[in-house]
Amino acid sequence: MSEPSKPPTPTPGDTYKGWLFKWTNYIKGYQRRWFVLSNGLLSYYRTQAEMGHTCRGTINLATANIAVEDSCNFVISNGGAQTYHLKASSEVERQRWITALELAKAKAVHMQAESDDSGDECPAVPPTSGQGGGRNSEIQTTLRTLSSKVEDLNTCNDLIVKHGSALQRSLSELEGIRAGGDMGEKIRQVTERATLFRITSNAMINACRDFMSLAQTNSKRWQKALQVERDQRIRLEETLEQLAKQHNHLERAFRGATVLPSSYSNPALGGKGGASGKGDASDEDDDNEFFDAMEDPAEFITVPADPKYHRRSGSSVSGFSCETGTDDQSVNFDELSMTSNPESPQSLELEAVRHRRTRIPDKPNYYLNLWSIMKNCIGKELSKIPMPVNFNEPLSMLQRLSEDLEYYELLDKAAKCQSSLEQMCYVAAFTVSSYSTTVHRTGKPFNPLLGETFELDRLKECGYRSLCEQVSHHPPAAAHHAFSEKGWTLRQEITLASKFRGKYLSIMPLGSIQCLFDKSENHYSWKKVTTTVHNIIVGKLWIDQSGEIDVVNHKTGDRCHLKFAPYSYFSRDVARKVTGVVTDKDGKAHYVLSGTWDEKMEFSRVMQSSKGENGTEGKQRTVYQTLKAKEIWIKNPLPEGAENMYFFSSLALTLNEPEECVAPTDSRRRPDQRLMEDGRWDEANAEKQRLEEKQRIVRREREREAVKTTSTPEEGTHQDNYQSQWFEKLDDPASGETLHVYKGGYWEAKDEGSWDMCPIIY
């Protein structure tokens, strides 16, 4: 977010962006804001991250005055309604902005003049009560006239073809006869047919001229009417947005959760009377803006540790094996373990692996109104809402579960740690990393069919194998099992509970995730946080993760408490923030983790902790003295052109790539998903309906069989005797939970090429 040293020279039509200081009021003075100049409009945001969902203000340059005050300051005003007092970081930067603003203003004025001219050339429609009906009748009349002209053109075209052929025959006959008595007759026929051809051609030319004249006469009128319709749509969207904001405030007030910061509860500071008359304070009136959650006070504070801990951190503080040395000269324990391990991949000859695809067909630009479908589904379970593929992405939920292994290296590193507390840090970072692929992924994955599977065999490239299976349909549940040659096993069973609330969609994953390490026999378990999709009614869809996760080591009693902060309009902190503390069985803190779930995580060792001052809600916060933070995980960059490929990561692009020898129930063989990936969405929708109806028929038949085998079935219950093919339900003694565990046989069946036991689901 740093300011570029040499911004590009603005040219007409360019979008110009950059940081400027904007005057807010006499209390806060100038505040740094991100400005965007595009299409004759100057908009600003608090941060670049807000560009996707929250604009603080916009001014139209077509009617604005631009004045320079001094070397760095300038003012933009549109006649009193809006006035921006701005300050650049230097005189050169100010001149760049002035040039860009003047060019944009000139272009906006020119475009407005052209729009006014086009409107003046067509007669105005009187603003009567029947204006809509009259305009529609006029358009229908014009369309009928144009249609008749097109029919005339078709008729003339047929006549030209007919007479032209006859003329051609006559000319051919004329060339074949000799001078004689028939010569005069043939010349007369050629003359008549040439005359008919000329008359028909003239009629064609006249019809074309009439059509072009009529089209040109009405084109500007239609353009003006289209612009009016667009303006009305924009006003309607703005009205809906205001209603959504008002509904949100009423909902918050009803629940008693509308709490404003202290600066807003004081009328002298936050009221309109306290604002300066210099410029507007639209970005400071926070109580008028939409927000999802209030900012929670921090549970703890980290401060640099005393230098004495830095000097002895490598020997006598904790005795941990993976992080030794001083703060400034620390030894990377990952490098140590790699060099000391004779079985390290660096010490073995690499085997040639398969080259996997890096692109999929671009997403078609098919428009479909989400609200028109979702408005009738408020309060319903998401899995029971029939959705067209237009809202999907070409991956199934099983493949999305497999994406949790995007950063499998974290588990590889965790398996090499000698200390369970350091191992906990890597497991916690792996937990956070699984959300990084969701930040731009607003598409819904395909609901798996019962018995559908997905394998991810990366044994040669990455040392692990993964298998998912849809083990239940009502409620929908998927089981996942992955094992690695590096000494870890990951298993999870996820059931999604989701509700549509009108403005947002909440997805609550139920079930647990477990990770087991062979060497240390440490057994970890945790659950997922809530995913929320915002702006269902109006605006750009965006995703937030919020909630708390407790990662527990059932063998040692170690625990990591992770907190995913929800987005808050009032928060001064970084968006998508995640914090965590690693404690032993006695509750003593050893590590602090911090970062964001969409970018990176860092961890630092705690040297000393103490109770600090009370927070805003009277809670006493803990102060941790820590060593310098180290990066433990960073997100991989998205591939080039990801915005046209559903924002898939490099791993996600390969998940639906066709492969030989996979089970017939594998998601890669699902026809509707394959058709969607190829851009054939109409066929995909039809195929999706066929598969869902087939699944319903099979389920009803299975329920009938279950009723026959049950002596006294309960009234109103649905009996289902379905048994998973590759997983079985067991009680886990360590965590005390019941989940589906892989029972074996899949990879052996793949090696033998025998899939006779698999059901036919496609």
Side-chain angles (χ1 to χ4, degrees):
M1 295 173 61
S2 60
E3 187 174 342
S5 57
K6 291 184 178 181
T9 302
T11 58
D14 286 348
T15 298
Y16 195 62
K17 307 176 182 178
W19 292 101
L20 289 172
F21 292 90
K22 178 181 177 296
W23 177 267
T24 57
N25 53 51
Y26 285 110
I27 297 176
K28 296 185 178 181
Y30 282 96
Q31 296 292 323
R32 195 164 180 253
R33 298 289 183 261
W34 180 255
F35 280 78
V36 178
L37 175 60
S38 178
N39 297 326
L41 300 176
L42 180 65
S43 306
Y44 71 98
Y45 312 83
R46 278 188 176 170
T47 62
Q48 289 176 271
E50 281 191 347
M51 291 179 62
H53 51 82
T54 308
C55 177
R56 303 293 173 173
T58 301
I59 191 168
N60 189 349
L61 295 179
T63 58
N65 295 320
I66 304 171
V68 177
E69 290 187 339
D70 54 28
S71 60
C72 295
N73 292 15
F74 57 101
V75 180
I76 304 175
S77 174
N78 62 355
Q82 288 177 295
T83 303
Y84 292 172
H85 292 260
L86 307 176
K87 181 169 68 173
S89 58
S90 64
E91 185 174 359
V92 176
E93 181 66 12
R94 185 219 64 188
Q95 189 56 45
R96 286 196 181 101
W97 274 102
I98 292 297
T99 303
L101 291 168
E102 293 292 351
L103 290 172
K105 177 181 178 181
K107 185 176 181 180
V109 171
H110 179 67
M111 292 177 63
Q112 185 175 12
E114 288 183 346
S115 177
D116 293 339
D117 292 340
S118 64
D120 293 337
E121 292 176 4
C122 60
V125 181
T128 62
S129 58
Q131 178 177 344
R135 181 182 301 169
N136 183 57
S137 176
E138 180 184 357
I139 292 175
Q140 293 298 328
T141 302
T142 305
L143 288 176
R144 284 195 295 270
T145 305
L146 288 175
S147 178
S148 65
K149 293 296 181 182
V150 170
E151 292 179 1
D152 292 344
L153 290 175
N154 290 329
T155 304
C156 292
N157 180 66
D158 295 339
L159 291 174
I160 286 177
V161 172
K162 176 182 177 181
H163 295 319
S165 299
L167 179 60
Q168 185 65 39
R169 287 195 303 270
S170 297
L171 290 174
S172 299
E173 293 173 357
L174 185 61
E175 292 177 355
I177 64 175
R178 299 177 181 273
D182 294 337
M183 177 67 71
E185 183 64 23
K186 291 295 182 182
I187 292 177
R188 186 182 62 79
Q189 292 179 0
V190 169
T191 303
E192 291 177 354
R193 290 173 178 173
T195 302
L196 288 174
F197 185 81
R198 184 178 68 254
I199 294 173
T200 307
S201 300
N202 289 335
M204 181 75 166
I205 294 173
N206 292 333
C208 290
R209 185 182 296 112
D210 293 342
F211 181 84
M212 291 299 298
S213 175
L214 185 61
Q216 290 175 353
T217 302
N218 290 275
S219 62
K220 293 184 178 180
R221 181 181 302 175
W222 290 344
Q223 290 174 4
K224 190 69 174 179
L226 180 61
Q227 185 61 41
V228 170
E229 295 297 332
R230 288 174 177 171
D231 293 341
Q232 290 179 351
R233 177 186 173 185
I234 292 174
R235 286 194 294 270
L236 179 60
E237 289 180 350
E238 292 174 349
T239 303
L240 283 173
E241 186 174 6
Q242 292 296 326
L243 290 174
K245 292 178 181 179
Q246 294 174 10
H247 178 75
N248 180 75
H249 285 295
L250 290 173
E251 189 178 70
R252 295 283 181 181
F254 177 75
R255 294 179 180 177
T258 309
V259 182
L260 297 180
S262 57
S263 61
Y264 289 88
S265 60
N266 186 349
L269 298 179
K272 295 183 179 179
S276 71
K278 184 178 181 179
D280 69 322
S282 58
D283 61 331
E284 315 308 327
D285 296 337
D286 294 343
D287 55 334
N288 291 328
E289 296 289 341
F290 171 77
F291 63 95
D292 291 312
M294 302 298 294
E295 180 183 12
D296 293 329
E299 297 179 352
F300 59 86
I301 303 173
T302 58
V303 297
D306 191 277
K308 65 182 180 180
Y309 294 115
H310 293 255
R311 290 192 296 270
R312 60 191 182 99
S313 64
S315 58
S316 60
V317 176
S318 63
F320 291 163
S321 63
C322 293
E323 186 182 351
T324 59
T326 63
D327 180 45
D328 296 328
Q329 296 179 343
S330 62
V331 180
N332 190 314
F333 61 87
D334 298 323
E335 296 176 359
L336 285 176
S337 60
M338 290 291 284
T339 55
S340 62
N341 183 7
E343 297 181 358
S344 169
Q346 295 180 354
S347 61
L348 298 176
E349 182 179 358
L350 295 177
E351 184 179 354
V353 296
R354 172 180 174 178
H355 177 72
R356 302 191 181 273
R357 67 183 185 181
T358 58
R359 287 198 62 84
I360 61 174
D362 288 351
K363 178 181 179 181
N365 187 20
Y366 294 151
Y367 174 77
L368 188 63
N369 189 349
L370 177 61
W371 176 244
S372 64
I373 295 177
M374 299 295 286
K375 65 183 179 181
N376 297 321
C377 306
I378 297 177
K380 294 183 180 179
E381 179 72 24
L382 181 63
S383 61
K384 298 180 180 179
I385 300 175
M387 300 283 284
V389 301
N390 303 58
F391 302 125
N392 286 29
E393 60 181 19
L395 290 178
S396 75
M397 189 63 201
L398 303 181
Q399 292 165 315
R400 285 290 291 267
L401 276 181
S402 302
E403 278 192 76
D404 286 357
L405 297 170
E406 173 96 18
Y407 300 95
Y408 69 93
E409 302 97 334
L410 292 170
L411 296 181
D412 290 349
K413 295 175 182 178
K416 298 172 184 175
C417 287
Q418 302 298 320
S419 165
S420 63
L421 291 167
E422 290 175 351
Q423 190 177 73
M424 174 68 81
C425 293
Y426 279 96
V427 174
F430 175 79
T431 302
V432 176
S433 70
S434 63
Y435 297 97
S436 63
T437 60
T438 66
V439 61
H440 299 299
R441 301 272 289 278
T442 57
K444 172 184 174 293
F446 279 78
N447 291 330
L449 303 175
L450 186 62
E452 184 176 336
T453 61
F454 178 73
E455 70 162 66
L456 186 62
D457 191 350
R458 294 292 191 269
L459 199 61
K460 294 181 180 180
E461 302 100 312
C462 310
Y464 71 83
R465 275 178 164 176
S466 166
L467 176 66
C468 293
E469 182 182 1
Q470 187 76 0
V471 296
S472 175
H473 185 62
H474 287 298
H480 180 207
H481 180 272
F483 68 93
S484 171
E485 293 179 331
K486 305 298 177 61
W488 55 264
T489 301
L490 182 73
R491 62 193 188 194
Q492 58 180 320
E493 180 178 342
I494 298 297
T495 300
L496 295 180
S498 51
K499 290 293 183 180
F500 175 56
R501 300 300 186 185
K503 295 179 300 178
Y504 59 89
L505 180 70
S506 294
I507 304 171
M508 295 79 69
L510 308 177
S512 67
I513 308 170
Q514 299 185 356
C515 186
L516 298 81
F517 293 93
D518 300 341
K519 184 177 180 181
S520 63
E521 297 183 351
N522 287 329
H523 187 152
Y524 298 87
S525 70
W526 65 92
K527 299 181 184 296
K528 288 182 174 287
V529 296
T530 299
T531 300
T532 307
V533 183
H534 294 270
N535 287 351
I536 297 295
I537 297 179
V538 64
K540 183 179 179 181
L541 294 177
W542 61 280
I543 291 178
D544 193 24
Q545 311 285 352
S546 60
E548 299 181 1
I549 296 177
D550 280 315
V551 185
V552 181
N553 186 338
H554 297 283
K555 179 184 177 182
T556 64
D558 301 338
R559 182 181 297 266
C560 178
H561 181 74
L562 293 170
K563 183 176 181 180
F564 289 66
Y567 173 78
S568 172
Y569 180 87
F570 296 105
S571 177
R572 303 293 180 181
D573 217 333
V574 63
R576 307 182 183 97
K577 184 177 181 180
V578 180
T579 56
V581 179
V582 176
T583 58
D584 57 22
K585 63 179 180 179
D586 299 321
K588 180 182 177 181
H590 291 267
Y591 283 92
V592 171
L593 294 95
S594 62
T596 59
W597 54 263
D598 66 324
E599 289 185 357
K600 67 177 181 178
M601 290 293 292
E602 296 176 338
F603 76 123
S604 53
R605 192 194 301 179
V606 176
M607 295 292 101
Q608 188 176 357
S609 62
S610 60
K611 294 296 182 181
E613 299 178 355
N614 292 341
T616 57
E617 296 183 355
K619 297 179 180 179
Q620 196 172 28
R621 294 183 292 183
T622 304
V623 179
Y624 295 121
Q625 295 186 31
T626 63
L627 297 181
K628 183 179 179 181
K630 297 181 180 179
E631 186 176 270
I632 190 172
W633 164 75
I634 187 170
K635 180 185 177 182
N636 297 328
L638 291 175
E640 184 179 357
E643 66 277 4
N644 299 321
M645 300 183 293
Y646 308 90
F647 287 98
F648 281 178
S649 64
S650 298
L651 173 63
L653 289 174
T654 67
L655 294 181
N656 207 42
E657 184 177 8
E659 290 190 17
E660 300 294 333
C661 302
V662 297
T665 55
D666 196 273
S667 299
R668 299 176 181 89
R669 300 184 184 275
R670 183 165 173 167
D672 54 347
Q673 190 171 296
R674 180 66 59 193
L675 288 169
M676 183 195 176
E677 182 182 285
D678 294 339
R680 299 155 63 183
W681 285 16
D682 292 337
E683 298 174 59
N685 277 315
E687 188 64 22
K688 181 172 180 287
Q689 293 179 6
R690 183 189 70 81
L691 291 175
E692 291 173 348
E693 182 59 30
K694 180 180 179 180
Q695 181 174 235
R696 295 187 193 101
I697 294 174
V698 173
R699 178 172 58 84
R700 287 193 290 265
E701 180 63 28
R702 195 168 55 247
E703 290 175 353
R704 282 194 294 267
E705 292 295 329
V707 171
K708 292 179 181 179
T709 58
T710 304
S711 57
T712 56
E714 296 182 8
E715 185 177 354
T717 61
H718 296 279
Q719 303 291 330
D720 194 338
N721 57 1
Y722 177 79
Q723 296 293 328
S724 172
Q725 184 67 44
W726 309 110
F727 290 80
E728 59 182 346
K729 206 164 190 176
L730 297 175
D731 294 328
D732 179 41
S735 62
E737 298 177 337
T738 302
L739 71 162
H740 282 82
V741 179
Y742 177 61
K743 62 183 179 182
Y746 180 88
W747 303 108
E748 292 78 7
K750 180 180 180 181
D751 294 338
E752 297 173 1
S754 175
W755 301 111
D756 297 336
M757 73 293 291
C758 293
I760 302 175
I761 61 175
Y762 300 140

